Amino acid sequence: MIRAAVAAASALLVLFIAVPLVALYAHVAPAHFAATIVSPPALAALRVSLVTTTASLALTLALGTPLAYALARGRFPGRTLVDAVVDLPIVVPPAVAGLALLFVFGTFGLFGPALGALHLRIAFTTLAVVLAQLFVGAPFYVRAARAGFAAVDPALEEASATLGMGPLRTFARVTVPLALPALAGGAVLAWARALGEFGATIMFAGNLQGVTQTLPLAVYLGLESGELDLAAALAAVLVTIALAVVVAARVLERRAA
């Protein structure tokens, strides 16, 4: 009886997730998909998404890896507070995140006068898209990387040190390879979150075609303007990319293990 209830509940949830995605693909007419996906608006949105998510992921890896290692191994005042602050963007509504970024980097924001003096503009530019994606995506990587680093046996790092390897070489040759599955999984989550970002982007960067309009924003605009074929085609692209990335991450994790 219990097994049947568990199976039924599990099947309902899986179907709830799978059926809408199948319906999405079913709505995309193959005859129109190729023509729609190579249209100027679609190509522009795809280019912006690929460029910005690549940049935000690079920043996430460069800044998030040291932070994750410090949170996993370090013992310093305020560590719990830092840990909590890093997790905040996961639960803060994206629109709130976008507004907060605007209050910092906008024309009248905290850094607005300094940026204006340097003749720099961040809000409503492609850089704003990157920063919005970094804000919402980086915590997913830091959480996963922190767990991966914490799972590495310190004795292995100490053994590396006794063999003459310095801290940086030990980190690169011992710690990172052992934590690689967690790092790869976190990077995938961060990239996928950046790819699907909508609220913070539209609040902080706007929806300018070819400049700040990412794939999710193009889907929204297509729906608002009645171009359902464009919206469905771009949505299918997003789901396909996400599926491919998840499968690749699983393969990477198994090989690393």
Side-chain angles (χ1 to χ4, degrees), residues 22-78:
V22 173
L24 173 64
Y25 280 106
H27 185 84
V28 180
H32 298 134
F33 179 79
T36 302
I37 208 60
V38 297
S39 64
L43 291 178
L46 180 61
R47 180 186 61 81
V48 172
S49 284
L50 292 179
V51 169
T52 55
T53 54
T54 300
S56 65
L57 179 59
L59 289 173
T60 295
L61 296 177
L63 303 176
T65 302
L67 175 59
Y69 187 78
L71 291 174
R73 296 295 177 83
R75 295 294 181 269
F76 53 88

Side-chain angles (χ1 to χ4, degrees), residues 41 213 217-231:
Q213 187 180 93
L217 295 182
V219 171
Y220 173 76
L221 184 63
L223 184 62
E224 284 289 295
S225 61
E227 299 180 23
L228 294 182
D229 288 341
L230 176 62

Side-chain angles (χ1 to χ4, degrees), residues 4-246:
V6 170
S10 302
L12 283 175
L13 182 56
V14 171
L15 288 174
F16 179 75
I17 296 172
V19 170
L21 298 178
V22 173
L24 173 64
Y25 280 106
H27 185 84
V28 180
H32 298 134
F33 179 79
T36 302
I37 208 60
V38 297
S39 64
L43 291 178
L46 180 61
R47 180 186 61 81
V48 172
S49 284
L50 292 179
V51 169
T52 55
T53 54
T54 300
S56 65
L57 179 59
L59 289 173
T60 295
L61 296 177
L63 303 176
T65 302
L67 175 59
Y69 187 78
L71 291 174
R73 296 295 177 83
R75 295 294 181 269
F76 53 88
R79 176 176 173 273
T80 302
L81 178 60
V82 172
D83 204 7
V85 169
V86 171
D87 285 346
L88 266 180
I90 296 177
V91 295
V92 168
V96 174
L99 188 61
L101 289 170
L102 194 61
F103 284 161
V104 174
F105 298 105
T107 304
F108 302 103
L110 184 62
F111 295 156
L115 292 171
L118 296 172
H119 302 287
L120 296 177
R121 180 169 172 262
I122 293 180
F124 304 104
T125 66
T126 305
L127 178 57
V129 180
V130 175
L131 294 181
Q133 293 172 348
L134 176 67
F135 187 91
V136 301
F140 290 90
Y141 173 75
V142 173
R143 284 172 61 93
R146 178 184 58 196
F149 288 137
V152 175
D153 188 353
L156 298 175
E157 296 172 319
E158 294 170 3
S160 173
T162 62
L163 295 175
M165 296 180 69
L168 289 179
R169 290 187 66 192
T170 297
F171 180 78
R173 303 289 292 275
V174 178
T175 308
V176 170
L178 290 174
L180 187 58
L183 300 181
V188 166
L189 286 176
W191 187 85
R193 180 65 186 86
L195 181 67
E197 169 51 35
F198 177 84
T201 303
I202 199 169
M203 291 288 291
F204 180 45
N207 191 9
L208 308 174
Q209 185 175 330
V211 180
T212 65
Q213 187 180 93
T214 58
L215 286 174
L217 295 182
V219 171
Y220 173 76
L221 184 63
L223 184 62
E224 284 289 295
S225 61
E227 299 180 23
L228 294 182
D229 288 341
L230 176 62
L234 293 179
V237 169
L238 279 169
V239 173
T240 303
I241 292 175
L243 179 60
V245 169
V246 170

